[in-house]
Amino acid sequence: MAAVSDLYMRFHQIHGANVRLDDSQTQATRAESFGNGVCFSKEPLDPGKIFLVEIEEKELGWCGNVRIGLTAHDPRNLETVPEYSLPDLVNLGSSWIFAITRNHNKVTTDDQQSNPAPKSHCSMEAFLQIGNHKVPKDKLVGRSRPGRYSHILDQLYKTNILPATARGSRVGVLYIIRANMGDLHIVINGEDMGPCARGIPINQPLYAVVDVFASTKSVRIIQVDYGFPSLQTLCRQVVQKHIMHRLAIDWLELPALLKNYCKYE
């Protein structure tokens, strides 16, 4: 299990002043106020690989929600982390950030306008096809916290009826290469909302950006497995199968990083 950390997508240690990361660097919580919540992926994204987060906590009293996108700025080279992703980080250039809503200003071609692709909220396909890339769908859809109405809420996530920024919703960003440029896609609970931006230069590393802004209080990275299950994934499945509830993993005599890997997918 020593290689678990190598497979993890994590948040960068450089982030907004109000952000607190947990020990696994997969949970980002805004400790106070409503701004200074900008976070970055620890490593640049590869084409077709999604950076996926689940909204864990909400905070009443603020207007606005999580923002997500890409930046070509290496966090280590920023003099200071901008207070807001919109407009501050975008104003630095080479950043493509979007506020999460159900309807984005999608970039469409003439062919797409005349022949729009049919939408299916209840597709049984195992993968979400975006360009030439397939993203496993099993982790893309939000899940409720265990409780009396879990079965109802889980169905609402699957049909994408709940607000895009509801607690438990899963929001991700990825890019694909088309004509030697990047197309940015945002995915909400398994539904592709993009392309939201096109013509992104790919001659430099692109980092995911998550702005834990306003009503969004805390987010956690969801690890997405591509291809055949890894040894780590198979071991995690065995652990999860033999416990009554994932919170019981805290009681196991395992390293903290492995507990997080088992508990938070």
Side-chain angles (χ1 to χ4, degrees):
M1 289 297 176
V4 168
S5 59
D6 296 334
L7 300 178
Y8 248 33
M9 280 198 175
R10 290 170 286 177
F11 287 114
H12 206 288
Q13 64 270 24
I14 296 174
H15 49 67
N18 285 335
V19 171
R20 302 294 181 266
L21 300 181
D22 71 346
D23 291 340
S24 69
Q25 293 182 289
T26 62
Q27 183 192 51
T29 302
R30 196 184 66 257
E32 59 184 355
S33 187
F34 61 92
N36 281 305
V38 176
C39 302
F40 307 94
S41 59
K42 186 175 181 65
E43 305 292 342
L45 290 187
D46 292 328
K49 296 300 174 68
I50 191 168
F51 191 86
L52 182 69
V53 298
E54 179 177 300
I55 299 173
E56 283 206 323
E57 291 184 48
K58 304 280 291 183
E59 184 173 27
L60 299 178
W62 305 114
C63 294
N65 290 282
V66 64
R67 297 152 173 188
I68 197 166
L70 298 172
T71 184
H73 293 282
D74 186 328
R76 296 170 297 180
N77 296 334
L78 292 171
E79 291 186 9
T80 58
V81 176
E83 185 173 2
Y84 306 107
S85 59
L86 285 171
D88 300 356
L89 181 58
V90 170
N91 285 345
L92 295 179
S94 300
S95 298
W96 304 265
I97 317 291
F98 295 85
I100 295 303
T101 62
R102 180 69 64 201
N103 298 307
H104 290 283
N105 294 321
K106 300 181 184 180
V107 180
T108 58
T109 64
D110 292 339
D111 290 341
Q112 288 174 318
Q113 290 174 343
S114 58
N115 298 293
K119 280 190 177 182
S120 175
H121 297 305
C122 302
S123 171
M124 299 302 291
E125 296 291 332
F127 296 92
L128 177 65
Q129 183 83 37
I130 301 180
N132 294 324
H133 298 276
K134 290 184 176 181
V135 184
K137 292 184 78 172
D138 62 327
K139 299 293 179 63
L140 297 183
V141 180
R143 300 174 188 176
S144 65
R145 295 182 178 179
R148 184 176 180 182
Y149 300 105
S150 293
H151 64 292
I152 298 175
L153 288 172
D154 286 346
Q155 189 60 36
L156 295 179
Y157 286 121
K158 290 178 182 178
T159 53
N160 228 340
I161 293 175
L162 291 176
T165 53
R167 188 176 69 179
S169 282
R170 294 183 178 181
V171 181
V173 62
L174 75 157
Y175 72 95
I176 63 173
I177 298 175
R178 187 178 66 89
N180 295 318
M181 301 295 281
D183 286 358
L184 182 155
H185 288 250
I186 289 174
V187 176
I188 300 175
N189 286 323
E191 182 182 350
D192 179 16
M193 299 275 113
C196 301
R198 279 186 166 155
I200 298 173
I202 57 172
N203 59 348
Q204 52 193 332
L206 294 171
Y207 293 81
V209 179
V210 178
D211 191 349
V212 188
F213 175 68
S215 295
T216 302
K217 177 75 171 176
S218 181
V219 300
R220 182 179 294 277
I221 298 172
I222 302 296
Q223 310 296 332
V224 177
D225 299 314
Y226 290 81
F228 292 104
S230 65
L231 177 60
Q232 286 85 355
T233 297
L234 294 173
C235 291
R236 179 180 61 197
Q237 291 173 350
V238 170
V239 171
Q240 292 175 337
K241 181 180 179 180
H242 289 86
I243 59 173
M244 295 186 63
H245 189 278
R246 67 180 182 177
L247 294 182
I249 292 173
D250 287 332
W251 306 333
L252 300 178
E253 294 183 1
L254 296 173
L257 187 60
L258 181 55
K259 287 183 182 180
N260 275 289
Y261 186 74
C262 292
K263 191 161 69 171
Y264 295 111
E265 307 181 61

